[in-house]
Amino acid sequence: MNCIKNTILRNGLLSPKDSVLVAVSGGADSVCLLHVLCTLKDELNLTLSVAHLNHMLRGSEANRDEEFVRSLCARLNIPFYCERVDVAHMANCNKMTCEEAGRKARYDFFLRLKTKYSIDKIATAHNKNDNAETVCMRFLRGTGIDGLAGIPIKNNFSVIRPLLNTSRQDIETYLKENSISYITDSSNLSDDYLRNRIRHHFLPDVIRNYNKNFVETLSENILLYREASHFLKKQADSAFLKLANRQSYGIYFNLPALLQEDSYVVKCLIRTAISEQTKVEASGKTVRLVYENVVLGNCTSLSVSALLTVYKLYDRLYFVTANAKMQFYYESKGLEKIIISETGNKLMFSEGSGDFAHEKNVIYIKKSMCKDICFTVRNRLPGDSISLGFGHKTIKKLLIDEKVPSFLRDEIPILLLGDEIVWVCGIRDNPAYRAVPGDAYIKISYLKEKNHE
């Protein structure tokens, strides 16, 4: 079929010498796809193989499908790979629908074969009608523009969909004209699934009463939505690279800069930050809660999952992953540097005398105050306080006054000489130990890893 060949060439779905794993259920669409790829095999120098997953949902009928595909591959002299998965049991164990479990089982199987046999592409038989049904389902359930963009013609896992611009009617016509047999899955005739209800009732009603070319019209719109989605994703990705600051605890954005962006972009950045930290796609509801209640509202923290909390503190929006309370304790040996393995930060020590210039994250203490050069570095403990020369201040109060976010306070090293706190590193030193130009001194530098701000 020229339509399918044009789709392949126009979208760069296949390259000469590609090995292609074709997902074949035995139905009209996948049988058509396999036959068309067989006709193109020599022209494009393709190596074909077939994967079939028996979902074990329809008893003898599922076994019939498996044998049909096995025989088809034998006639076409194509390698056949099959796996049986109890999808109903998988769905029950993982609290998924059978549709979700079946899809996961199929793609897990395909990707294992891809890795095992060094396969270049996985071809599935989604067609133009499938795409229209998918968009209608997403619209009825609620979706954004990404959902309206439909099924991608190819993805990052090398899955390609050569039939996506071909209608179901054209597929059936091709099979009939070429006397190619296929089988019908009885579950496709049931109205138990939303997709089938859309296929059997919703779309025919729209086509009959409102627009006889609805599938074509929707397909054209899907192309527009896809282009718009691609453009907006590029804008959002660019903004994320510019505004997101990755740290050991997660990600933060400077709020004033974030709020300069369009609200749609801000929501995209929230979605990306959540998804990146949790490895799960953030729902529209979650993104909206963060945007309305934290970014624009008065809420200063919101737990979006057991793994992630969003904070609004000191003109920053933080996405913080859940970690156990950090504990560390180190003792220096002379002037040997201390590397705090929990954070990767370092404390460097050196001796000197005479003049010195004040630097950020560096203190100079009187060597005369250090009878034995033995420093301790640890994180804060309850009741810790530091002398400010005119009295003491608790470390907790100091860090609050310095606007250090609560989830970072246990990462800040506390430097002690004996039992006395000499320096809350990078925050405040004890003036009683402070050297002046001309003194013999010990220089102490606090070097922070780039991802610990």
Side-chain angles (χ1 to χ4, degrees):
M1 294 174 71
N2 288 332
C3 173
I4 299 172
K5 180 179 177 181
N6 290 338
T7 296
I8 290 171
L9 296 177
R10 188 167 56 247
N11 293 280
L13 301 187
L14 292 171
S15 301
K17 299 184 180 181
D18 269 350
S19 59
V20 185
L21 180 70
V22 189
V24 181
S25 67
D29 302 338
S30 60
V31 169
C32 172
L33 174 62
L34 180 59
H35 276 273
V36 170
L37 290 178
C38 282
T39 64
L40 296 173
K41 183 171 69 170
D42 293 338
E43 180 182 346
L44 296 179
N45 194 12
L46 304 175
T47 302
L48 302 180
S49 57
V50 164
H52 175 86
L53 186 80
N54 184 333
H55 296 69
M56 301 174 65
L57 288 172
R58 293 173 289 112
S60 60
E61 187 178 292
N63 296 334
R64 175 208 67 180
D65 297 352
E66 179 184 322
E67 287 309 311
F68 175 86
V69 180
R70 188 189 305 276
S71 298
L72 174 61
C73 291
R75 290 198 306 274
L76 295 173
N77 195 27
I78 294 173
F80 172 73
Y81 305 111
C82 180
E83 183 168 280
R84 295 187 175 192
V85 176
D86 188 342
V87 167
H89 178 71
M90 177 182 172
N92 185 54
C93 290
N94 294 281
K95 297 181 180 179
M96 306 164 77
T97 66
C98 277
E99 290 173 290
E100 292 168 337
R103 185 180 189 282
K104 177 171 174 39
R106 285 194 301 277
Y107 281 95
D108 285 350
F109 176 43
F110 301 157
L111 292 172
R112 284 200 306 276
L113 290 174
K114 180 180 185 296
T115 300
K116 183 175 181 179
Y117 295 105
S118 300
I119 289 165
D120 298 306
K121 304 286 171 58
I122 300 167
T124 67
H126 296 88
N127 62 47
K128 185 182 289 187
N129 293 67
D130 292 326
N131 210 10
E133 292 160 7
T134 296
V135 169
C136 288
M137 286 172 59
R138 291 173 179 174
F139 186 79
L140 292 172
R141 288 171 170 168
T143 189
I145 194 166
D146 290 345
L148 296 178
I151 304 168
I153 201 159
K154 57 184 175 181
N155 67 19
N156 294 332
F157 299 104
S158 302
V159 175
I160 60 170
R161 300 182 171 101
L163 302 187
L164 206 58
N165 295 325
T166 306
S167 71
R168 186 169 291 129
Q169 182 178 350
D170 287 342
I171 289 169
E172 292 173 355
T173 299
Y174 172 82
L175 294 173
K176 184 177 180 181
E177 289 177 348
N178 290 276
S179 301
I180 298 171
S181 61
Y182 58 91
I183 53 179
T184 301
D185 181 341
S186 63
S187 66
N188 289 336
L189 305 176
S190 166
D191 283 345
D192 289 345
Y193 302 112
L194 176 59
R195 179 180 292 278
N196 287 355
R197 295 196 295 276
I198 288 173
R199 179 180 298 172
H200 299 152
H201 306 291
F202 178 79
L203 284 177
D205 185 61
V206 171
I207 292 167
R208 183 171 55 250
N209 296 307
Y210 301 99
N211 182 353
K212 66 179 181 179
N213 295 314
F214 179 71
V215 172
E216 290 297 326
T217 301
L218 184 54
S219 296
E220 291 296 323
N221 286 336
I222 288 170
L223 292 176
L224 296 175
Y225 302 147
R226 190 175 297 157
E227 289 176 352
S229 175
H230 180 69
F231 171 77
L232 291 170
K233 185 178 186 306
K234 284 176 63 178
Q235 297 295 110
D237 288 349
S238 175
F240 192 85
L241 286 173
K242 180 177 70 174
L243 299 175
N245 299 276
R246 288 184 174 86
Q247 303 294 319
S248 60
Y249 53 80
I251 291 170
Y252 80 82
F253 299 93
N254 287 310
L255 264 173
L258 185 67
L259 292 172
Q260 292 295 312
E261 300 292 332
D262 183 86
S263 61
Y264 181 86
V265 173
V266 175
K267 291 172 188 173
C268 287
L269 301 188
I270 292 170
R271 183 187 302 278
T272 302
I274 293 173
S275 302
E276 187 174 297
Q277 296 302 301
T278 63
K279 311 304 180 188
V280 177
E281 183 69 18
S283 69
K285 180 181 179 182
T286 298
V287 172
R288 188 170 62 253
L289 282 172
V290 173
Y291 180 71
E292 294 178 355
N293 294 301
V294 183
V295 176
L296 299 183
N298 296 320
C299 185
T300 57
S301 68
L302 180 69
S303 293
V304 297
S305 75
L307 300 174
L308 189 73
T309 302
V310 182
Y311 296 90
K312 181 170 66 176
L313 298 167
Y314 316 125
D315 281 337
R316 286 182 177 180
L317 185 70
Y318 294 92
F319 294 79
V320 181
T321 53
N323 290 308
K325 180 178 172 65
M326 184 174 292
Q327 298 286 349
F328 57 85
Y329 182 94
Y330 297 91
E331 290 183 353
S332 70
K333 297 176 181 178
L335 297 177
E336 196 172 274
K337 70 181 176 182
I338 294 176
I339 300 175
I340 302 169
S341 61
E342 288 80 1
T343 63
N345 298 338
K346 303 180 185 71
L347 283 166
M348 307 288 289
F349 303 86
S350 61
E351 292 184 81
S353 61
D355 292 337
F356 54 82
H358 292 286
E359 306 167 60
K360 184 178 180 182
N361 292 332
V362 174
I363 63 168
Y364 296 83
I365 66 172
K366 297 175 183 177
K367 189 176 178 182
S368 60
M369 300 284 288
C370 310
K371 294 179 182 177
D372 297 310
I373 303 175
C374 183
F375 293 100
T376 300
V377 178
R378 61 166 171 79
N379 55 336
R380 64 181 180 138
L381 297 175
D384 272 349
S385 64
I386 185 170
S387 171
L388 301 180
F390 49 84
H392 282 73
K393 181 180 261 189
T394 64
I395 304 302
K396 179 180 179 179
K397 180 73 163 58
L398 174 67
L399 296 179
I400 291 172
D401 290 347
E402 294 293 327
K403 299 184 177 179
V404 177
S406 58
F407 51 85
L408 288 181
R409 294 170 193 167
D410 290 320
E411 289 192 10
I412 295 173
I414 308 295
L415 179 70
L416 298 95
L417 193 57
D419 295 328
E420 185 84 13
I421 293 178
V422 175
W423 190 23
V424 180
C425 298
I427 305 290
R428 185 69 61 85
D429 67 327
N430 185 332
Y433 291 81
R434 198 176 292 161
V436 296
D439 285 343
Y441 59 75
I442 295 176
K443 177 184 177 181
I444 308 171
S445 305
Y446 176 42
L447 306 177
K448 293 194 287 185
E449 285 287 291
K450 188 175 181 181
N451 66 341
H452 285 78
E453 184 171 330

